[in-house]
Amino acid sequence: MALKLQVPDINCNGCAKAITTSIQVIEPDAKVDVDVENKIVIVESKTSSEFIKQAINAAGFEIIV
């Protein structure tokens, strides 16, 4: 499942790394692509979208619904 999320708090590659790490804690095989410039996160994962969103929130980032 591919999930595309708008995350306006992304400002740098450090933010991208924090989001990627947080998601990969719950699913190590998840493919995470963070577009820093456009503030978009695309996740290919077997984990539910709710868990992915919670992981991003836990990393300190808000998602625009």
Side-chain angles (χ1 to χ4, degrees):
M1 160 186 98
L3 180 65
K4 183 176 181 180
L5 302 166
Q6 185 74 40
V7 185
D9 300 336
I10 298 172
N11 296 312
C12 63
N13 288 329
C15 297
K17 183 172 174 141
I19 290 170
T20 301
T21 300
S22 185
I23 292 169
Q24 289 180 336
V25 162
I26 60 170
E27 187 184 330
D29 294 333
K31 182 177 182 251
V32 183
D33 181 27
V34 181
D35 181 341
V36 175
E37 185 176 326
N38 293 307
K39 301 178 185 299
I40 294 172
V41 178
I42 299 172
V43 182
E44 291 184 32
S45 168
K46 295 175 186 157
T47 303
S48 78
S49 61
E50 278 308 307
F51 283 129
I52 298 299
K53 291 175 184 177
Q54 288 175 7
I56 293 171
N57 289 146
F61 298 91
E62 185 179 336
I63 299 166
I64 294 178
V65 179

